[in-house]
Amino acid sequence: MRSALVDRPIDAADLLGEIARNANGATVLFVGTVRETNQGRAVSGMEYTAYRSMAECEMAEILREASQRFATKDIVLEHRLGTLRLGEASVAIAVAHPHRGLAYEASRYIIEQLKKRVPIWKLEHYIDGTREWVGAGNVNPEPIAVHRPEVVTEERRAVRKAEIR
Amino acid sequence: MRSALVDRPIDAADLLGEIARNANGATVLFVGTVRETNQGRAVSGMEYTAYRSMAECEMAEILREASQRFATKDIVLEHRLGTLRLGEASVAIAVAHPHRGLAYEASRYIIEQLKKRVPIWKLEHYIDGTREWVGAGNVNPEPIAVHRPEVVTEERRAVRKAEIR
Amino acid sequence: MNVTVLLFASYAESLGKTSLVMPLNTGDTVGDVVSRIRSLPGAGTLPVEPLVAVNERYAKRDRVLAAGDEVAIIPPVAGG
Amino acid sequence: MNVTVLLFASYAESLGKTSLVMPLNTGDTVGDVVSRIRSLPGAGTLPVEPLVAVNERYAKRDRVLAAGDEVAIIPPVAGG
């Protein structure tokens, strides 16, 4: 069982290899990719940011839950951060199980929980030059420089730890 | 949309590449593999045979049904025939769709229909040297030479066609 | 007037052959052919109403056969 | 006595910063900190009750904060 935020392309075949065991008869892989349109608007790319440390905790927690509910430890989850082109994978979940029903259910559980709970955000870029935070409404339609909150977060955490000591 | 019986290893990454399109946001891959145990018995390998021509028809028909029900043509299905070792893939289904819910449903529909309708059989080999046709009861527990009906079927079809002419 | 009958997997093993050519009478149905197959030596494992395909499509027991039809007796399928 | 408040994505953009240090009174809750954040310039897009995490775990509005807590205001998540 492994979950990770990654800053490089996701290799689905690697994930399949990671969970392959002869005790399993079924493997389900889910891959989420950047779509060329969203709600009728032409998309040029997507920028993913996260509250990294918390996102990692939540992802690990979701895998623990799935492992208990669906009785397998052969699960791996990767979510990519940074700037992605059309068609690139933002998330991949591989689940292997002796039986296919539970493999499908575990896979579905993980992606639904991830979308509900894991603090990851995406800034959608459109071919007309505008950009929008998905799910947050059009807070700023002008193309402007993008903050990368997770980087500052790391700095802040260092500050906080220093303050506590 | 493509379905095939194959006599060589299935390459899941190839299937994913085959259906990748920027219009899709979700890809679901199912892979069935040979398990090391079945109903408590230790398995050494699996031999798949088929009524080839009919199996190909049924697989294509299932994909047509799935395409209509779940609104995507980005589907590929391969089922392997012949002798497989533990852990090798016997079947793989890749489905891509703009939305994940329908990708999961199409994938599940295809594997369930395949298992119900497609004339493929498996002869399970056990480490104790015995063998059994899965789903058919233990018709012959002695290790004996295995028939390969699909080969003879091709010959028979040629004969039949000659008779009709 | 004949039909070709195909046997597979456990049925082929039980009957010791993968196909046979069977004479057909006018009006013979899938059920008639199945009954004749079940009377052959080794056919004890065939159920009374096995799955049958005619010309690569599943067919019902009362389907009337024509000369040259390919009749396949289908054991419980186990793909996947 | 301070808490660190982290802002992300649309909230960070609206408020023009990704974190701030905020003085804390004894007994202050998540809700109190959220109210103070909402009074800042640019905070118009923050809902009255945004999702909040304390020390990397989702927390309720009445959660009492301690010195050094890391309070994160979580915009609608959009992973996947």
Side-chain angles (χ1 to χ4, degrees), chain A residues 9-75:
Chain A
I10 294 173
D11 187 324
D14 275 359
L15 301 191
L16 291 176
E18 188 172 334
I19 56 160
R21 284 198 310 119
N22 289 348
N24 294 316
T27 301
V28 173
L29 171 76
F30 174 82
V31 183
T33 49
V34 179
R35 274 171 61 197
E36 65 192 3
T37 56
N38 191 18
Q39 300 184 319
R41 297 184 68 185
V43 173
S44 60
M46 195 77 83
E47 190 155 350
Y48 286 86
T49 60
Y51 181 10
R52 272 186 183 262
S53 55
M54 181 176 168
E56 285 164 354
C57 284
E58 285 290 322
M59 286 164 68
E61 175 63 22
I62 289 168
L63 261 50
R64 275 191 295 274
E65 293 168 9
S67 173
Q68 287 183 350
R69 283 173 185 241
F70 306 105
T72 180
K73 291 188 171 177
D74 298 319
I75 309 178

Side-chain angles (χ1 to χ4, degrees), chain B residues 99-114:
Chain B
H99 304 289
R100 69 185 179 284
L102 292 174
Y104 276 105
E105 287 180 43
S107 176
R108 193 75 200 266
Y109 178 81
I110 292 163
I111 186 62
E112 299 304 328
Q113 291 295 315
L114 182 141

